[in-house]
Every structure is written in C-alpha cells, then in structure tokens.
Amino acid sequence: MRLSVLVASLLLPFGVQAQTFMFDDAEDMDTTTEEAWEASAEFGLLFTTGNTETESLKAKLNVAKDIRNWRHKGVLDYYTAEQENQDTGETTETADRLFLSAQSNYKFDPESKSSLFIFGSYEEDVYSGYEYQSTVAVGYGARYRYSENLYADYEIGPGYSRVKPVDENRNPLEAEGSAILRLAGSMTWDISENSRFNALVSSEIGEDNTKSRAEVSISSNINSSLALKVSVSGTHNSEVASEDIENLDTETAVTIVYTF
C-alpha cells in the first residue's frame, strides 16, 4: 500500500496495554453519571527526497470509557513505509503493520482499585516474521495512584495466542497456537496542565515465543483539541523464522493528536 510518512521499562511491580489517555481512580470520579466515549486520533506523515526518497504514514485511534463498574478501551494502530530505489526507480515497501486491541475491566465495585480484565489483540506484520499474531487473555488488574498527577495500571493473567509464522522468503507457514501468561503495566503522569508522559510495557510469555511490546511518549497541548506527541515504541519476538529477520522492531514517531 503506497502512502506518504518504546522502549521503556516501568520501575514498578511488573509491566502494559496503556493508551494515549487514561482515567483517574474510581473514587475520584462521579460514578453516578453516565460518561460518553472519549476518543483521540493521531496522524503523522513523512517525505524525504534527494539521495533517498521515502514515504511513511503513522495513524492511530484510541477510544476509552470509564464508568461505574466498567472500564473499556481500544486501539487501532497503523504504520506503513516505502522507499524508492534510485538506480531502478522501483518503489519497495519496507513496513506495513496493523495492530488492533480491545480490553474491558470489571471493577469489583465502583470505588475498587482491583478488577477482572479480558483482553484481545490482533497484529498483521509480515516483516516481523509472522503474517499475524493474535492473543486473548483474562486475569486480574489493579490501579494505583502514587500522587495527584501519577497513577499506574498492572495486569496479570493466562491466555491463548495463535500465530502464523513466515519463512525466510516471507512465505506463510502453518498457523500455531499455544497457552501464554500475559503481564502488563502502564503509567500516566500529568507533568503539567498542558503536558503528559505515558509509558507502557507488556509481555506475552509462551512456550515457543515470548512477545513483548513497549512504548514511551510525551504529548504537549497546542490547544483544547490538538496536541503534539513524540513517541518511541518497540516490539520484540524471542523466536523468528530466520536469522535474516530481526527480533526487535522499533518505531519513532512525531504525530498530531486530535481529541474528540
């Protein structure tokens, strides 16, 4: 597809799946009022010309809702890049990744820090050594507030992963499934009234492969609806099809975030 334009360890109990925005503890909220869905969209585009001609696109959508006994959130994240060969004039795709995730947490009561979660994700990225990777997990979650401007979420639970690896020529192989243990943590810090720091890390530990994701980002408000965000993220697979495929994929992005 031709289109133009993490790595953090939380020094907290264990550390992910956090988004650009999150919510306060339940006791800080009006739990009797129905909250509307909140959403934010990110977009970044990069062109280079001259000795190297490239086009890359980064787009991301976050949605979330937190009310009474439930906390919901979802992510759609897409990245693609192409580079033109200066000798032949041919354009080669160098990246094409789609990541989707959805999660719901059931709080034991509206003011409880503890919850039960169900999580699902799906990723397509043939350049990672897998045509697709999907996960479903359930388990225990907890949210702790360390100060007025800093809080973190932690999750642990069993799950199931199904993947379709590719060979050294990126030809699909037979799909595989296995049990996993999912560990996740995220942190949100409101540095000031107009700036925010987010960090997240997750690991899905399986018998054949351990997949880990991490991201750190800083966003600064331009106005009430727009913000500028700088993020660094990475995805690591312990097992890949061949030595020609890297275990770690990283991404650095500068995007405009629109909240609506």
Side-chain angles (χ1 to χ4, degrees), residues 245-256:
I245 300 175
E246 296 288 341
N247 295 80
L248 175 65
D249 292 308
T250 63
E251 177 186 308
T252 302
V254 179
T255 55
I256 294 293

Side-chain angles (χ1 to χ4, degrees), residues 22-36 38 64-72 105 107 109-113 143 145 151 153:
M22 297 180 69
F23 295 91
D24 292 345
D25 288 328
E27 59 261 34
D28 298 327
M29 299 168 50
D30 178 4
T31 58
T32 63
T33 302
E34 189 73 21
E35 295 282 345
E38 293 192 18
K65 185 176 184 178
D66 193 342
I67 188 65
R68 298 190 179 95
N69 292 80
W70 288 97
R71 180 182 300 127
H72 307 290
N105 286 60
K107 293 172 280 187
D109 63 66
E111 297 184 356
S112 175
K113 289 181 170 63
R143 171 169 289 187
R145 179 170 291 283
Y151 65 91
D153 288 328

Side-chain angles (χ1 to χ4, degrees), residues 140-188:
Y140 171 80
R143 171 169 289 187
Y144 292 95
R145 179 170 291 283
Y146 298 96
S147 70
E148 182 180 355
N149 300 319
L150 174 64
Y151 65 91
D153 288 328
Y154 307 102
E155 296 162 2
I156 181 171
Y160 181 79
S161 175
R162 187 163 183 82
V163 303
K164 192 168 187 178
V166 297
D167 62 20
E168 60 274 10
N169 298 316
R170 296 193 170 92
N171 296 313
L173 302 175
E174 185 177 353
E176 305 169 351
S178 64
I180 61 164
L181 175 65
R182 176 176 168 81
L183 303 175
S186 65
M187 181 178 69
T188 298

Side-chain angles (χ1 to χ4, degrees), residues 42 47 62 70 72 138 158 177 241:
E42 298 179 31
F47 294 92
N62 292 284
W70 288 97
H72 307 290
V138 296

Side-chain angles (χ1 to χ4, degrees), residues 110-247:
E111 297 184 356
S112 175
K113 289 181 170 63
S114 299
S115 64
L116 296 175
F117 77 86
I118 180 168
F119 168 85
S121 69
Y122 177 82
E123 181 175 24
E124 288 185 358
D125 184 2
V126 68
Y127 299 99
S128 69
Y130 294 88
E131 185 175 85
Y132 69 80
Q133 295 175 281
S134 60
T135 299
V136 175
V138 296
Y140 171 80
R143 171 169 289 187
Y144 292 95
R145 179 170 291 283
Y146 298 96
S147 70
E148 182 180 355
N149 300 319
L150 174 64
Y151 65 91
D153 288 328
Y154 307 102
E155 296 162 2
I156 181 171
Y160 181 79
S161 175
R162 187 163 183 82
V163 303
K164 192 168 187 178
V166 297
D167 62 20
E168 60 274 10
N169 298 316
R170 296 193 170 92
N171 296 313
L173 302 175
E174 185 177 353
E176 305 169 351
S178 64
I180 61 164
L181 175 65
R182 176 176 168 81
L183 303 175
S186 65
M187 181 178 69
T188 298
W189 175 29
D190 290 324
I191 302 172
S192 68
E193 185 176 339
N194 296 312
S195 60
R196 172 171 287 186
F197 173 83
N198 282 302
L200 61 90
V201 58
S202 69
S203 188
E204 297 167 358
I205 305 168
E207 182 178 355
D208 299 322
N209 180 53
T210 295
K211 179 183 178 182
S212 301
R213 294 172 56 86
E215 179 178 320
V216 292
S217 67
I218 296 178
S219 58
S220 180
N221 293 341
I222 299 173
N223 54 38
S224 59
S225 299
L226 294 176
L228 181 66
K229 178 182 174 183
V230 179
S231 63
V232 179
S233 62
T235 301
H236 182 273
N237 287 284
S238 62
E239 298 294 331
V240 291
S242 71
E243 296 181 354
D244 297 331
I245 300 175
E246 296 288 341
N247 295 80

